[in-house]
Amino acid sequence: MLGQNEQNIKKRMEGRVAINKVLMVLFGMATAVGLVFLVLLFYRVLTQGIGYLSLDYILNFPAPYPEEAGIYAGLIGSVFLMIIVAIFAVIIGVATAIYLEEYAPKNKFTEFIRVNIQNLAGVPSIVFGLLGLTFFVYMFNFGYTLIAGGLTMALLILPVIVVAAQEAVRSVPAEIKEASYGMGASKWQTIARVILPAAIPGILTGAIIALSRAIGETAPLIIVGAATAIYTLPESLLAKYTVMPIQIYNWTGRPQEEWQYVAGAGIIVLLAVLLLMNSIAVLIRNKYQRRL
């Protein structure tokens, strides 16, 4: 009887090991497929755009001829836009998360708000473009300006930052909070000196993901009137502007083959800016993680 049980256990273990090996191969194949297409994408972009990439290309404004065209207006416009987006989205998103986790009563209405914020994170970006067109362009009378585009993109990524910040705040151990209260700290002192410093790595991770999405979006900015070609830099929040994705989109729609290479160079610049932005955020996150 004992020997039969040992045989049954052995068969089950062999079956589980076999299933584990099969799943490991399937997961490895799925990873390999993604990596292959990523490498092909990079190869395609580099081979198309590296020939047009130069300092003149980065410092020139758009032009009617491919050899004279540049991405300077889109580059500076994207930087200004991301500054506006980061200021509004991160401050409002983190404040909302703190209120929902630390101050809001735990009832069905609060849970309803949480669920709907999570649902908003999956809404198509063009819907936020229409929302920005209605409120910021027409109702607030900002027009087709930099501030309207920045606020629209802030709305787009706000749910992502709120959800990430909620998870980060929720992950702070209750023992740390209780120790702070036990030392006589008030609720706000505990939030500012204990909870936020411990949650910053998680908040920054969510902000990185959200801003990475925002810098590559095109549809909402087309709706709120970002220019496809502009020959000046925005001088104020109420100035006309363009961004790199809009310029790239415009170049890819032109029939001449040379414009495809110009667009490829623009994609390389966009990826470089995205990589630089993410690297800075990761360094800040790692700095706070070492403090903890």
Side-chain angles (χ1 to χ4, degrees):
M1 188 70 177
L2 186 60
Q4 186 176 1
N5 289 336
E6 290 179 353
Q7 289 179 355
N8 291 335
I9 293 173
K10 186 177 180 181
K11 288 181 180 179
R12 290 178 182 174
M13 290 299 296
E14 290 175 350
R16 292 175 181 175
V17 170
I19 292 173
N20 181 67
K21 290 181 178 179
V22 170
L23 291 176
M24 182 178 67
V25 172
L26 291 176
F27 294 153
M29 290 174 60
T31 304
V33 169
L35 289 175
V36 166
F37 280 102
L38 184 62
V39 170
L40 290 175
L41 174 63
F42 275 113
Y43 174 77
R44 176 69 172 173
V45 169
L46 288 174
T47 53
Q48 276 195 334
I50 199 68
Y52 275 81
L53 188 62
S54 65
L55 185 61
D56 288 337
Y57 175 81
I58 295 175
L59 296 179
N60 284 351
F61 286 93
Y65 304 105
E67 60 273 10
E68 299 176 2
I71 201 168
Y72 188 58
L75 176 61
I76 300 302
S78 291
V79 172
F80 287 168
L81 190 75
M82 285 302 102
I83 292 173
I84 296 172
V85 171
I87 291 173
F88 282 94
V90 174
I91 292 176
I92 296 175
V94 173
T96 302
I98 290 174
Y99 174 77
L100 290 175
E101 292 299 321
E102 298 297 327
Y103 289 102
K106 309 300 181 183
N107 53 34
K108 291 183 178 180
F109 180 69
T110 305
E111 186 62 27
F112 173 78
I113 294 175
R114 287 197 184 99
V115 171
N116 280 276
I117 289 174
Q118 292 174 352
N119 291 337
L120 282 174
V123 171
S125 60
I126 196 169
V127 175
F128 288 97
L130 294 172
L131 185 65
L133 181 69
T134 302
F135 283 95
F136 302 130
V137 175
Y138 293 140
M139 186 176 294
F140 295 156
N141 202 29
F142 289 148
Y144 300 114
T145 58
L146 181 63
I147 186 65
L151 292 175
T152 300
M153 300 306 290
L155 283 182
L156 173 66
I157 68 171
L158 187 59
V160 178
I161 293 180
V162 171
V163 172
Q166 280 185 273
E167 293 297 330
V169 170
R170 200 178 299 144
S171 66
V172 177
E175 293 81 3
I176 298 179
K177 303 178 189 177
E178 292 170 359
S180 177
Y181 293 136
M183 295 291 291
S186 65
K187 193 173 189 65
W188 170 242
Q189 288 175 324
T190 301
I191 292 171
R193 299 178 183 179
V194 177
I195 296 176
L196 273 181
I200 277 180
I203 293 172
L204 282 178
T205 300
I208 292 170
I209 296 172
L211 291 173
S212 299
R213 178 188 179 188
I215 197 172
E217 281 288 350
T218 306
L221 295 176
I222 292 176
I223 297 294
V224 295
T228 56
I230 194 169
Y231 304 97
T232 58
L233 299 180
E235 298 177 352
S236 69
L237 295 177
L238 297 176
K240 298 289 185 181
Y241 70 102
T242 189
V243 291
M244 288 187 286
I246 295 288
Q247 284 196 265
I248 294 169
Y249 172 76
N250 181 42
W251 288 333
T252 56
R254 298 187 181 185
Q256 294 87 351
E257 185 179 2
E258 291 81 2
W259 288 111
Q260 311 305 315
Y261 301 138
V262 176
I267 294 172
I268 295 174
V269 175
L270 178 61
L271 290 175
V273 172
L274 179 61
L275 182 61
L276 176 64
M277 184 177 68
N278 287 355
S279 299
I280 294 172
V282 168
L283 288 175
I284 297 173
R285 183 185 65 185
N286 292 342
K287 179 180 178 180
Y288 276 95
Q289 282 180 331
R290 285 196 295 271
R291 285 183 179 181
L292 296 174

